Amino acid sequence: MTTAAGPADFHPTHVVPREGLPAWEEPDVSRPTAALDPFLPVRLLSRRGEWGQILCANGWSAWVDGRLLVPVPEPPPAGGRPRVRAEDPLPLLAHTAEALERYRRAAGELASGRSGAEAFRSATRGLRAGIVIDGESVWLYEEASGRWTYGDGAGLVTYAVDEGPGAPAQPQRPEPQRPEPEPSEPEPSGPESGPESGPAGSGRTAPPAGHEPTRIVTQPEDGGG
């Protein structure tokens, strides 16, 4: 746990999205802690892959899915040019267009009879792309980080992610289903499993002792105690 000097010295870099965020004590999904409130200001301390270590105004720190944090806009420096948004949409647009063109060529070869099904599968194996365009708005899929981004032509922000932090970016292929047992064979019964826990569960995990999560509160205007 990191201790901050006080709210007056706290300078947030991000806010929690409107849905809130699950949090963990360490970059490990087996160690959940209290979830963060929507629109909570936080300071991003470090990144480790998809993970982000955040600090709250009351000195409480935790690890979250850093891809989902919303950056706090900063004014341009006095007398200088406005800062350029970090994520340029053009490289991802070019990558998506290349993937689409590869698929178009492979589909054309298959439709014309110049190649067979096996050649088509080989040409498209591992190919992943996603794009939705609606006027000036665009949604692009970024395969490397397993996320959907939203852009307005000037920059991109994270819109959604495939999996939680620490999970493989690419979804695993479903395993073949086992054949159903014959009616004469009784189904094996195992011990009943308890409710799911961790970030995929619906309930929030209580914070550890001595680890009160931060909450947004309204300070008295007169500064009285």
Side-chain angles (χ1 to χ4, degrees), residues 17-178:
R18 68 174 65 247
E19 299 83 7
L21 272 183
W24 294 266
E25 293 183 1
E26 300 290 342
D28 181 353
V29 293
S30 66
R31 301 189 60 183
T33 184
L36 299 180
D37 289 337
F39 304 115
L40 183 73
V42 299
R43 182 171 185 82
L44 182 62
L45 300 178
S46 63
R47 292 292 298 263
R48 187 180 301 178
E50 299 97 349
W51 293 96
Q53 185 184 22
I54 56 93
L55 176 68
C56 300
N58 66 352
W60 186 74
S61 63
W63 290 82
V64 300
D65 190 336
R67 298 169 296 181
L68 297 176
L69 292 172
V70 181
V72 174
E74 295 185 18
R81 299 174 57 188
R83 297 183 181 180
V84 179
R85 297 178 68 176
E87 293 197 69
D88 182 0
L90 296 183
L92 187 52
L93 281 168
H95 176 77
T96 304
E98 179 184 354
L100 180 60
E101 177 60 21
R102 284 178 55 191
Y103 190 92
R104 188 196 66 79
R105 288 198 304 265
E109 293 285 328
L110 179 64
S112 65
R114 291 192 295 269
S115 67
E118 184 59 35
F120 176 73
R121 283 193 292 268
S122 177
T124 58
R125 185 175 294 117
L127 198 60
R128 291 174 63 84
I131 182 170
V132 177
I133 299 177
D134 184 10
E136 66 179 13
S137 300
V138 63
W139 289 262
L140 293 167
Y141 181 72
E142 186 178 56
E143 179 185 2
S145 60
R147 63 172 182 158
W148 279 91
T149 61
Y150 168 78
D152 57 4
L156 296 175
V157 294
T158 300
Y159 181 76
V161 296
D162 284 346
E163 302 287 348
Q170 300 230 7
Q172 301 294 326
R173 293 182 179 273
E175 297 182 1
Q177 296 183 351
R178 297 180 179 180

Side-chain angles (χ1 to χ4, degrees), residues 22 24 29 32 163 196-203 205:
W24 294 266
V29 293
E163 302 287 348
E196 293 186 1
S197 60
S202 59
T205 306

